[in-house]
């Protein structure tokens, strides 16, 4: 009996010892897993730590694939947009020459004929010239050697010197002097050397569309009424063909040339009116920026700076603004009065003031530059 009790006690002690060892081993494995987890978490945070990280940085990082997709799609679609602009403009010019010009020559007085021929061809030349120059002219890029520049920062994306008013274009993947924006309709950046060409193209294209819309208003009304009449007669012709008797004759039909003429006039007026509204609003927006001596990017920067200084009781002054009138003269390159004719009203490939690297006072400015900050 005693031997059985001893054996049972020995077995129980052995079992308790095994359970104690298993529990210790289990606690040791859990402790090691926790240490590995904390160590991995610490390594990950040390690799991704940045004292400037905030919600905006995290949001930008999450949207980085979207930005990449937009940049590459815009770069590829730029060629399509340029072809679309050329195709639509060519179609309007063809309709004017084939459909409208013969009517103008037959019905208008000699004075009005001379006016339409002179203004129409001048406007067309200005549109073609400035669009070609805006596409083919480089916007201007800063040099890669920092020795040529003084007092510039370094672009954090292309690791190159970044002069004042220079910004990085993610689509072109390089810095652009006095960058305004990347225009997909030009497949090019709008910068220091082609900003005037871009604005002139928008202005003259808007003027041309308004001219076509106003000149073709009466023709548009007649063509639209003719198309409605064609639809009604086509409906009657189908009804007569379905219930035709010996004494009924189908109504007359319009020829293909008449249909094409009326539809072309309606297409011209609708397209020109739509472009005039959309492009006119864009032109007015850029005209307001030029009046203030700003670009599209600088407007956002100056607004934030203005709000920041306003909290401190200070007033922000744009250092690149010389006054409304002088801003336009600097932008258009008007140094003497005759330049309004030779450089503004006629095609001119003259270069803008300065190199885009430094911003000295242009010779056409009569008033001194305003200070950057004013108390």
């Amino acid at each position: 009996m005693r031997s059985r009790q001893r054996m049972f006690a020995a077995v129980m002690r052995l079992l308790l010892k095994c359970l104690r060892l298993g529990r210790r081993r289990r606690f040791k494995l859990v402790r090691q897993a926790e240490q590995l987890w904390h160590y991995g978490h610490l390594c990950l945070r040390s690799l991704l730590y940045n004292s400037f990280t905030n919600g905006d940085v995290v949001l930008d990082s999450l949207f980085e694939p979207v930005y990449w997709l937009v940049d590459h799609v815009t770069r590829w679609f730029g060629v399509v947009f340029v072809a679309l602009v050329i195709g639509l403009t060519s179609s309007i010019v063809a309709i004017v020459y084939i459909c409208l010009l013969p009517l103008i020559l037959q019905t208008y007085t000699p004075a009005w004929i001379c006016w339409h021929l002179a203004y129409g061809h001048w406007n067309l030349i200005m549109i073609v010239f400035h669009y070609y120059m805006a596409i083919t002219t480089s916007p201007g890029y800063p040099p890669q050697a920092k020795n040529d520049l003084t007092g510039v920062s370094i672009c954090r994306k292309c690791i190159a010197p970044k002069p004042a008013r220079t910004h990085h274009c993610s689509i072109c993947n390089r810095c652009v002097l006095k960058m305004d924006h990347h225009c997909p309709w030009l497949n090019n950046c709008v910068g220091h050397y082609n900003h005037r060409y871009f604005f002139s193209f928008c202005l003259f294209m808007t003027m041309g569309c308004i001219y076509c819309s106003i000149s073709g208003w009466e023709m548009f009304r007649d063509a639209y009424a003719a198309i409605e009449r064609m639809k009604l007669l086509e409906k009657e012709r189908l009804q007569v063909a379905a219930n035709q008797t010996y004494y009924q004759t189908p109504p007359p039909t319009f020829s293909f040339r008449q249909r094409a003429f009326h539809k072309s006039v309606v297409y011209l007026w609708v397209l020109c009116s739509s472009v005039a509204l959309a492009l006119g609003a864009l032109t007015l927006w850029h005209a307001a920026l030029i009046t203030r001596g700003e670009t599209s990017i600088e407007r956002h920067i100056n607004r934030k700076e203005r709000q920041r200084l306003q909290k401190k009781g200070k007033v922000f002054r744009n250092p690149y603004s010389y006054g409304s009138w002088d801003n336009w003269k600097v932008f258009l390159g008007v140094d003497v009065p005759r330049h309004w004719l030779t450089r503004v009203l006629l095609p001119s490939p003259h270069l803008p003031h300065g190199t885009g690297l430094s911003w000295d006072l242009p010779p056409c400015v009569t008033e001194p530059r305003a200070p950057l900050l004013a108390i």
Side-chain angles (χ1 to χ4, degrees):
M1 186 70 182
R2 289 180 180 179
S3 62
R4 289 182 179 178
Q5 290 179 352
R6 289 172 185 168
M7 186 179 296
F8 179 75
V11 171
M12 293 299 297
R13 282 196 299 270
L14 181 61
L15 181 62
L16 290 175
K17 189 175 181 181
C18 292
L19 290 175
R20 203 175 290 117
L21 288 175
R23 187 180 300 172
R24 289 178 182 175
R25 185 174 299 173
R26 202 163 47 244
F27 285 159
K28 187 176 181 181
L29 291 175
V30 171
R31 205 175 296 115
Q32 289 179 351
E34 289 180 353
Q35 290 178 354
L36 289 175
W37 166 257
H38 289 301
Y39 179 74
H41 185 65
L42 180 62
C43 290
L44 184 63
R45 291 194 63 182
S46 64
L47 291 174
L48 301 179
Y49 176 76
N50 189 343
S51 59
F52 297 101
T53 300
N54 52 24
D56 295 335
V57 175
V58 174
L59 192 63
D60 289 341
S61 300
L62 293 176
F63 276 91
E64 192 64 30
V66 179
Y67 298 150
W68 181 90
L69 182 62
V70 171
D71 292 345
H72 284 71
V73 169
T74 304
R75 187 182 307 172
W76 183 82
F77 266 100
V79 180
V80 179
F81 289 154
V82 171
L84 188 62
V85 171
I86 296 174
L88 293 177
T89 306
S90 301
S91 66
I92 295 299
V93 174
I95 292 173
V96 170
Y97 274 102
I98 297 173
C99 300
L100 302 186
L101 187 58
L103 290 177
I104 291 175
L105 296 176
Q106 293 174 6
T107 58
Y108 284 25
T109 61
W112 276 111
I113 291 176
C114 293
W115 154 253
H116 283 290
L117 290 177
Y119 179 82
H121 286 89
W122 169 78
N123 203 341
L124 178 61
I125 291 172
M126 297 297 285
I127 290 173
V128 173
F129 171 79
H130 287 102
Y131 189 66
Y132 174 78
M133 294 299 293
I135 292 175
T136 58
T137 302
S138 172
Y141 307 109
Q144 297 298 317
K146 192 176 179 180
N147 297 331
D148 301 335
L149 304 174
T150 57
V152 298
S153 59
I154 300 297
C155 177
R156 62 191 179 101
K157 293 184 179 180
C158 57
I159 317 299
K162 185 179 179 182
R165 310 188 79 177
T166 299
H167 300 280
H168 187 88
C169 176
S170 58
I171 299 175
C172 298
N173 197 24
R174 63 187 307 179
C175 288
V176 177
L177 298 175
K178 193 191 170 186
M179 179 181 174
D180 188 90
H181 68 287
H182 185 94
C183 182
W185 299 101
L186 302 179
N187 195 27
N188 195 8
C189 267
V190 177
H192 178 63
Y193 288 103
N194 64 347
H195 193 181
R196 179 178 64 89
Y197 297 131
F198 164 77
F199 177 79
S200 298
F201 164 72
C202 293
L203 176 63
F204 288 113
M205 178 63 82
T206 303
M207 292 171 56
C209 291
I210 294 174
Y211 163 73
C212 291
S213 299
I214 295 176
S215 301
W217 168 245
E218 295 296 333
M219 297 180 184
F220 165 74
R221 292 178 57 185
D222 296 339
Y224 186 79
I227 291 176
E228 293 296 323
R229 190 164 59 252
M230 281 190 285
K231 292 180 180 178
L232 182 60
L233 292 176
E234 184 69 20
K235 185 177 180 180
E236 292 180 359
R237 190 179 68 83
L238 293 176
Q239 291 177 354
V240 170
N243 304 316
Q244 188 172 10
T245 60
Y246 290 104
Y247 58 87
Q248 287 180 327
T249 58
T253 59
F254 287 86
S255 63
F256 173 79
R257 184 174 181 179
Q258 290 174 327
R259 293 173 182 270
F261 174 84
H262 295 310
K263 291 182 179 180
S264 297
V265 173
V266 172
Y267 163 78
L268 178 143
W269 193 88
V270 172
L271 179 61
C272 288
S273 300
S274 304
V275 173
L277 290 175
L279 194 59
L282 179 65
T283 304
L284 291 176
W285 164 253
H286 280 277
L289 293 177
I290 295 169
T291 304
R292 295 196 296 262
E294 297 176 331
T295 61
S296 300
I297 298 177
E298 290 174 347
R299 176 185 177 274
H300 300 285
I301 298 175
N302 293 346
R303 183 179 60 181
K304 292 182 180 180
E305 188 67 14
R306 190 178 293 109
Q307 293 174 355
R308 186 183 69 85
L309 293 176
Q310 188 177 5
K311 295 179 181 179
K312 297 182 178 181
K314 299 180 180 181
V315 179
F316 173 77
R317 302 294 183 188
N318 183 8
Y320 307 111
S321 177
Y322 311 105
S324 301
W325 182 247
D326 286 336
N327 286 338
W328 278 102
K329 292 201 302 183
V330 171
F331 177 77
L332 298 174
V334 177
D335 297 329
V336 293
R338 71 171 183 274
H339 286 167
W340 289 105
L341 173 63
T342 59
R343 293 188 173 184
V344 179
L345 298 180
L346 293 176
S348 175
H350 66 278
L351 296 176
H353 287 292
T355 60
L357 303 177
S358 60
W359 300 96
D360 301 326
L361 193 67
C364 60
V365 176
T366 56
E367 298 180 0
R369 183 184 304 185
L372 179 62
L373 300 177
I375 304 299

